[in-house]
Amino acid sequence: MNLANIRIVMIETSHPGNIGACARAMKNMGLSQLYLVKPIRFPDEEATARASGASDVLEHASVCDSLAQALEGCGVVVGASARRRAITWPEFNPRECAAFVAPYSDDTEIAIVFGRECSGLRNEELDCCSHLVHIPCNEVFSSLNVAAAVQVISYELRMQLLQGNTANDEPVLIDQPATSEELEGMYEQMQQALVEIDFFDPDKPGKLMRRLRRLYNRTALERREVNILRGILSAAQRQARLGACPRTD
Ligand code: SAH
């Protein structure tokens, strides 16, 4: 388990105190990469005060304009969700999440994404995640403070680091997972190809692309597999274009 490759992404956090508390929780557990997507107030005295001895995590935090920017280079993206969703994603508890990411962490950048205090993660943000992590709590009161959620999930990552050295001696051989940008490129081409072969009507999108993303995301696609799928899409697009303009020779 290499904690240096795991980033915590906070989306549009409203309270700077939560950003500071998150930095502290991270540093306590040995994490250091904090990404802030459009924080409402940052930098801020309250964040620094709540970070206590972890102001270095805040100073090195990357402030981003979009989630896509915060996920650049990531091969594994897990969303932290306080509630059950209409379309279900494969879901871990924090311990399972730590065990899942550990074998990737040696050579792959990993993101764990946290939502807004009042409204959590939006569907378009969940679309970027292959898995969700949910902290099981009292069903009638299941929403933790965002920094408390970061604490619980980071603690399990640390436990995996401490136990993994003995329990997980065998390296797990995996091919390079596709990065978030590579997947986005594939989904863009897929949508375009589905339009060209008359399967998808952009005026009546429904939930098709969301369901397809969920299907592919849960298989944790590797880079070579994305290249194969894109090759197939290109071939379908070529055929569709030939069909639309039959050759005259
Ligand atoms: N009212 C919001 C809750 C937001 S809490 C909602 O209904 O979604 C802010 C963030 O903390 C959440 O988006 C999530 O990333 C994290 N969080 C809070 N409780 C959690 C839980 N039980 N499991 C996993 N993440 C949680």
Side-chain angles (χ1 to χ4, degrees), residues 79-83 85 113-121 133-137 142-147 149-150 153:
S81 175
R83 54 193 151 113
R85 305 281 168 166
V113 184
F114 293 81
R116 302 154 188 80
E117 290 96 329
C118 50
S119 55
L121 292 170
V133 53
H134 175 73
I135 302 164
C137 5
S142 68
S143 171
L144 276 78
N145 164 272
V146 64
V150 170
I153 290 166

Side-chain angles (χ1 to χ4, degrees), residues 194 199-201 204-213:
L194 293 176
F199 186 80
F200 178 70
D201 179 353
K204 293 186 208 138
K207 289 197 171 126
L208 179 70
M209 285 315 295
R210 176 148 300 139
R211 287 189 179 276
L212 286 174
R213 277 171 172 269

Side-chain angles (χ1 to χ4, degrees), residues 94-119:
R95 197 158 300 168
E96 293 162 342
C97 171
F100 170 74
V101 301
Y104 289 98
S105 68
D106 287 330
D107 59 0
T108 300
E109 292 281 334
I110 294 160
I112 306 186
V113 184
F114 293 81
R116 302 154 188 80
E117 290 96 329
C118 50
S119 55

